[in-house]
PDB file of all heavy atoms in Angstrom:
ATOM      1  N   LYS B 197     -14.491  -8.303 -17.227  1.00 94.00           N
ATOM      2  CA  LYS B 197     -15.060  -9.628 -16.888  1.00 94.00           C
ATOM      3  C   LYS B 197     -15.682 -10.229 -17.889  1.00 94.00           C
ATOM      4  O   LYS B 197     -16.501  -9.606 -18.521  1.00 94.00           O
ATOM      5  CB  LYS B 197     -15.784  -9.565 -15.496  1.00 94.00           C
ATOM      6  CG  LYS B 197     -15.765 -10.817 -14.844  1.00 94.00           C
ATOM      7  CD  LYS B 197     -16.572 -10.821 -13.499  1.00 94.00           C
ATOM      8  CE  LYS B 197     -16.781 -12.090 -13.006  1.00 94.00           C
ATOM      9  NZ  LYS B 197     -17.409 -13.118 -13.953  1.00 94.00           N
ATOM     10  N   GLU B 198     -15.517 -11.522 -18.168  1.00 94.00           N
ATOM     11  CA  GLU B 198     -16.188 -12.344 -19.188  1.00 94.00           C
ATOM     12  C   GLU B 198     -17.626 -12.499 -18.730  1.00 94.00           C
ATOM     13  O   GLU B 198     -17.915 -12.432 -17.642  1.00 94.00           O
ATOM     14  CB  GLU B 198     -15.456 -13.690 -19.406  1.00 94.00           C
ATOM     15  CG  GLU B 198     -15.651 -14.695 -18.266  1.00 94.00           C
ATOM     16  CD  GLU B 198     -14.696 -14.466 -17.042  1.00 94.00           C
ATOM     17  OE1 GLU B 198     -13.964 -13.457 -17.126  1.00 94.00           O
ATOM     18  OE2 GLU B 198     -14.666 -15.150 -16.091  1.00 94.00           O
ATOM     19  N   ASP B 199     -18.459 -12.533 -19.753  1.00 95.00           N
ATOM     20  CA  ASP B 199     -19.942 -12.940 -19.528  1.00 95.00           C
ATOM     21  C   ASP B 199     -20.139 -14.422 -19.227  1.00 95.00           C
ATOM     22  O   ASP B 199     -20.900 -14.787 -18.274  1.00 95.00           O
ATOM     23  CB  ASP B 199     -20.882 -12.622 -20.647  1.00 95.00           C
ATOM     24  CG  ASP B 199     -20.673 -11.076 -21.144  1.00 95.00           C
ATOM     25  OD1 ASP B 199     -20.365 -10.341 -20.097  1.00 95.00           O
ATOM     26  OD2 ASP B 199     -21.032 -10.741 -22.246  1.00 95.00           O
ATOM     27  N   SER B 200     -19.409 -15.268 -19.816  1.00 95.00           N
ATOM     28  CA  SER B 200     -19.408 -16.715 -19.560  1.00 95.00           C
ATOM     29  C   SER B 200     -18.207 -17.357 -20.009  1.00 95.00           C
ATOM     30  O   SER B 200     -17.253 -16.802 -20.712  1.00 95.00           O
ATOM     31  CB  SER B 200     -20.663 -17.191 -20.272  1.00 95.00           C
ATOM     32  OG  SER B 200     -20.453 -17.071 -21.713  1.00 95.00           O
ATOM     33  N   GLY B 201     -18.075 -18.671 -19.667  1.00 95.00           N
ATOM     34  CA  GLY B 201     -16.843 -19.394 -20.053  1.00 95.00           C
ATOM     35  C   GLY B 201     -15.960 -19.639 -18.944  1.00 95.00           C
ATOM     36  O   GLY B 201     -16.200 -18.983 -17.722  1.00 95.00           O
ATOM     37  N   THR B 202     -14.834 -20.402 -19.043  1.00 94.00           N
ATOM     38  CA  THR B 202     -13.969 -20.660 -17.921  1.00 94.00           C
ATOM     39  C   THR B 202     -12.503 -20.187 -18.318  1.00 94.00           C
ATOM     40  O   THR B 202     -12.149 -20.501 -19.444  1.00 94.00           O
ATOM     41  CB  THR B 202     -14.000 -22.053 -17.360  1.00 94.00           C
ATOM     42  OG1 THR B 202     -13.621 -22.972 -18.509  1.00 94.00           O
ATOM     43  CG2 THR B 202     -15.286 -22.569 -16.767  1.00 94.00           C
ATOM     44  N   ILE B 203     -11.901 -19.885 -17.402  1.00 94.00           N
ATOM     45  CA  ILE B 203     -10.511 -19.456 -17.561  1.00 94.00           C
ATOM     46  C   ILE B 203      -9.502 -19.976 -16.586  1.00 94.00           C
ATOM     47  O   ILE B 203      -9.774 -20.015 -15.385  1.00 94.00           O
ATOM     48  CB  ILE B 203     -10.366 -17.950 -17.542  1.00 94.00           C
ATOM     49  CG1 ILE B 203     -11.307 -17.245 -18.475  1.00 94.00           C
ATOM     50  CG2 ILE B 203      -8.895 -17.484 -17.840  1.00 94.00           C
ATOM     51  CD1 ILE B 203     -11.658 -15.825 -18.127  1.00 94.00           C
ATOM     52  N   ASN B 204      -8.464 -20.708 -17.102  1.00 94.00           N
ATOM     53  CA  ASN B 204      -7.471 -21.175 -16.097  1.00 94.00           C
ATOM     54  C   ASN B 204      -6.060 -20.418 -16.539  1.00 94.00           C
ATOM     55  O   ASN B 204      -5.789 -20.231 -17.698  1.00 94.00           O
ATOM     56  CB  ASN B 204      -7.180 -22.718 -16.358  1.00 94.00           C
ATOM     57  CG  ASN B 204      -8.304 -23.577 -15.773  1.00 94.00           C
ATOM     58  OD1 ASN B 204      -9.237 -22.946 -15.360  1.00 94.00           O
ATOM     59  ND2 ASN B 204      -8.081 -24.769 -15.858  1.00 94.00           N
ATOM     60  N   LEU B 205      -5.398 -20.148 -15.356  1.00 93.00           N
ATOM     61  CA  LEU B 205      -4.151 -19.450 -15.621  1.00 93.00           C
ATOM     62  C   LEU B 205      -3.120 -20.242 -14.670  1.00 93.00           C
ATOM     63  O   LEU B 205      -3.446 -20.550 -13.627  1.00 93.00           O
ATOM     64  CB  LEU B 205      -4.040 -18.031 -15.110  1.00 93.00           C
ATOM     65  CG  LEU B 205      -4.466 -16.860 -16.099  1.00 93.00           C
ATOM     66  CD1 LEU B 205      -4.408 -15.483 -15.408  1.00 93.00           C
ATOM     67  CD2 LEU B 205      -3.385 -16.929 -17.323  1.00 93.00           C
ATOM     68  N   PHE B 206      -2.023 -20.494 -15.275  1.00 92.00           N
ATOM     69  CA  PHE B 206      -0.967 -21.379 -14.588  1.00 92.00           C
ATOM     70  C   PHE B 206      -1.673 -22.663 -14.029  1.00 92.00           C
ATOM     71  O   PHE B 206      -1.379 -23.029 -12.910  1.00 92.00           O
ATOM     72  CB  PHE B 206      -0.361 -20.548 -13.511  1.00 92.00           C
ATOM     73  CG  PHE B 206       0.301 -19.241 -13.938  1.00 92.00           C
ATOM     74  CD1 PHE B 206      -0.280 -18.032 -13.626  1.00 92.00           C
ATOM     75  CD2 PHE B 206       1.454 -19.242 -14.743  1.00 92.00           C
ATOM     76  CE1 PHE B 206       0.274 -16.874 -14.031  1.00 92.00           C
ATOM     77  CE2 PHE B 206       2.050 -18.075 -15.040  1.00 92.00           C
ATOM     78  CZ  PHE B 206       1.545 -16.909 -14.721  1.00 92.00           C
ATOM     79  N   GLY B 207      -2.567 -23.172 -14.796  1.00 90.00           N
ATOM     80  CA  GLY B 207      -3.154 -24.489 -14.372  1.00 90.00           C
ATOM     81  C   GLY B 207      -4.174 -24.380 -13.254  1.00 90.00           C
ATOM     82  O   GLY B 207      -4.736 -25.365 -12.724  1.00 90.00           O
ATOM     83  N   GLU B 208      -4.605 -23.128 -12.928  1.00 89.00           N
ATOM     84  CA  GLU B 208      -5.577 -23.016 -11.804  1.00 89.00           C
ATOM     85  C   GLU B 208      -6.794 -22.063 -12.263  1.00 89.00           C
ATOM     86  O   GLU B 208      -6.503 -21.181 -13.098  1.00 89.00           O
ATOM     87  CB  GLU B 208      -5.104 -22.455 -10.591  1.00 89.00           C
ATOM     88  CG  GLU B 208      -4.383 -23.519  -9.686  1.00 89.00           C
ATOM     89  CD  GLU B 208      -3.793 -22.660  -8.504  1.00 89.00           C
ATOM     90  OE1 GLU B 208      -4.436 -21.806  -7.697  1.00 89.00           O
ATOM     91  OE2 GLU B 208      -2.653 -22.815  -8.313  1.00 89.00           O
ATOM     92  N   LYS B 209      -7.964 -22.317 -11.844  1.00 90.00           N
ATOM     93  CA  LYS B 209      -9.055 -21.391 -12.195  1.00 90.00           C
ATOM     94  C   LYS B 209      -8.907 -20.005 -11.736  1.00 90.00           C
ATOM     95  O   LYS B 209      -8.248 -19.719 -10.635  1.00 90.00           O
ATOM     96  CB  LYS B 209     -10.342 -21.920 -11.647  1.00 90.00           C
ATOM     97  CG  LYS B 209     -11.556 -21.436 -12.165  1.00 90.00           C
ATOM     98  CD  LYS B 209     -12.710 -22.266 -11.738  1.00 90.00           C
ATOM     99  CE  LYS B 209     -14.046 -21.808 -12.404  1.00 90.00           C
ATOM    100  NZ  LYS B 209     -14.347 -20.406 -12.317  1.00 90.00           N
ATOM    101  N   ILE B 210      -9.106 -19.076 -12.607  1.00 88.00           N
ATOM    102  CA  ILE B 210      -8.870 -17.556 -12.244  1.00 88.00           C
ATOM    103  C   ILE B 210      -9.912 -17.122 -11.247  1.00 88.00           C
ATOM    104  O   ILE B 210     -10.980 -17.566 -11.326  1.00 88.00           O
ATOM    105  CB  ILE B 210      -8.857 -16.865 -13.631  1.00 88.00           C
ATOM    106  CG1 ILE B 210      -8.207 -15.609 -13.522  1.00 88.00           C
ATOM    107  CG2 ILE B 210     -10.316 -16.566 -13.879  1.00 88.00           C
ATOM    108  CD1 ILE B 210      -7.893 -15.107 -14.909  1.00 88.00           C
ATOM    109  N   ASP B 211      -9.497 -16.301 -10.291  1.00 81.00           N
ATOM    110  CA  ASP B 211     -10.553 -15.672  -9.500  1.00 81.00           C
ATOM    111  C   ASP B 211     -10.764 -14.176  -9.825  1.00 81.00           C
ATOM    112  O   ASP B 211     -10.285 -13.802 -10.805  1.00 81.00           O
ATOM    113  CB  ASP B 211     -10.189 -15.918  -7.907  1.00 81.00           C
ATOM    114  CG  ASP B 211      -8.731 -15.163  -7.643  1.00 81.00           C
ATOM    115  OD1 ASP B 211      -8.672 -14.082  -8.194  1.00 81.00           O
ATOM    116  OD2 ASP B 211      -8.005 -15.794  -6.947  1.00 81.00           O
ATOM    117  N   ILE B 212     -11.780 -13.618  -9.030  1.00 79.00           N
ATOM    118  CA  ILE B 212     -12.233 -12.309  -9.575  1.00 79.00           C
ATOM    119  C   ILE B 212     -11.120 -11.253  -9.682  1.00 79.00           C
ATOM    120  O   ILE B 212     -10.926 -10.704 -10.835  1.00 79.00           O
ATOM    121  CB  ILE B 212     -13.337 -11.930  -8.643  1.00 79.00           C
ATOM    122  CG1 ILE B 212     -14.503 -12.769  -8.771  1.00 79.00           C
ATOM    123  CG2 ILE B 212     -13.660 -10.339  -8.896  1.00 79.00           C
ATOM    124  CD1 ILE B 212     -15.661 -12.357  -7.781  1.00 79.00           C
TER     125      ILE B 212
END
Side-chain angles (χ1 to χ4, degrees):
Chain B
K197 199 178 173 308
E198 69 283 1
D199 298 336
S200 60
T202 56
I203 299 159
N204 285 5
L205 265 181
F206 305 108
E208 272 174 58
K209 202 167 177 310
I210 204 165
D211 57 44
I212 290 177

